[in-house]
Amino acid sequence: MREFDRRKLVLCTAGALALYYNNYIYKEQCMVLYNTGMRWLNEILHGHWRRCVNMFRMDVRTFDNLCLDLESQYELKISRRMSVFEKVGIFLYTSSLGASNREMQERFQHSEETISRYFNEVLRMICLLVMDVIKPYDPEFLNTP
């Protein structure tokens, strides 16, 4: 009878360890698409000009200039895993096509939190850019038509 209890204990322990391993240790990657966000962005930027206009509502030169301005004048920095181009691409793609966060996760192969963080980071920089670019003709509003 004692041998039976020992085998039962070993089987139960092995089952508990397998369950623990599957639930807490083994992590299957969610974002494993070959066509990563940066690779897709390069295809768009180096492909036919109309693709860039369709995806971002601006041509490649304007996209490049916007990225360079945000980087040099408004201190939009590259991160460990994402370039300025990809950050701006996430913002423009979401803004121009009204894409949801889940669509952006699938397109750019980043987590929900990463997409949200970089979208908001670029949005803050765009707001600073807008304050510098859009200025009233008469700041005192003395002549109101």
Side-chain angles (χ1 to χ4, degrees), residues 37 40-41 44 51-58 63 66 82 85-123 126:
W40 175 81
L41 190 61
I44 296 296
R51 288 184 72 194
C52 188
V53 172
N54 288 341
M55 294 297 112
F56 305 121
R57 304 297 188 245
M58 62 180 64
F63 182 89
L66 177 62
M82 194 178 298
F85 290 98
E86 192 172 1
K87 289 179 181 183
V88 174
I90 287 172
F91 175 81
L92 290 175
Y93 188 84
T94 304
S95 302
S96 64
L97 299 178
S100 69
N101 191 300
R102 288 191 182 178
E103 291 171 317
M104 299 307 294
Q105 290 173 47
E106 190 61 33
R107 165 56 57 210
F108 286 91
Q109 297 295 296
H110 290 290
S111 71
E112 175 184 359
E113 194 270 332
T114 300
I115 296 290
S116 182
R117 180 177 351 116
Y118 292 132
F119 178 89
N120 288 321
E121 181 182 350
V122 175
L123 178 61
I126 293 289

Side-chain angles (χ1 to χ4, degrees), residues 2-116:
R2 190 165 189 140
E3 184 63 32
F4 177 74
D5 289 340
R6 180 181 241 172
R7 285 185 184 190
K8 192 175 176 182
L9 179 64
V10 169
L11 286 175
C12 287
T13 304
L17 286 173
L19 186 64
Y20 181 83
Y21 176 80
N22 285 333
N23 287 337
Y24 300 107
I25 296 175
Y26 176 72
K27 301 295 181 191
E28 185 176 350
Q29 286 187 332
C30 179
M31 303 295 179
V32 293
L33 185 65
Y34 169 76
N35 199 12
T36 63
M38 195 60 203
R39 187 172 289 139
W40 175 81
L41 190 61
N42 280 329
E43 283 180 21
I44 296 296
L45 295 176
H46 295 103
H48 194 273
W49 66 271
R50 190 169 293 171
R51 288 184 72 194
C52 188
V53 172
N54 288 341
M55 294 297 112
F56 305 121
R57 304 297 188 245
M58 62 180 64
D59 63 7
V60 176
R61 203 164 97 204
T62 306
F63 182 89
D64 286 341
N65 288 338
L66 177 62
C67 290
L68 292 174
D69 285 348
L70 290 175
E71 189 175 17
S72 63
Q73 296 175 9
Y74 299 96
E75 298 179 4
L76 183 63
K77 304 276 188 227
I78 62 171
S79 64
R80 210 168 5 127
R81 293 189 176 136
M82 194 178 298
S83 69
V84 169
F85 290 98
E86 192 172 1
K87 289 179 181 183
V88 174
I90 287 172
F91 175 81
L92 290 175
Y93 188 84
T94 304
S95 302
S96 64
L97 299 178
S100 69
N101 191 300
R102 288 191 182 178
E103 291 171 317
M104 299 307 294
Q105 290 173 47
E106 190 61 33
R107 165 56 57 210
F108 286 91
Q109 297 295 296
H110 290 290
S111 71
E112 175 184 359
E113 194 270 332
T114 300
I115 296 290
S116 182

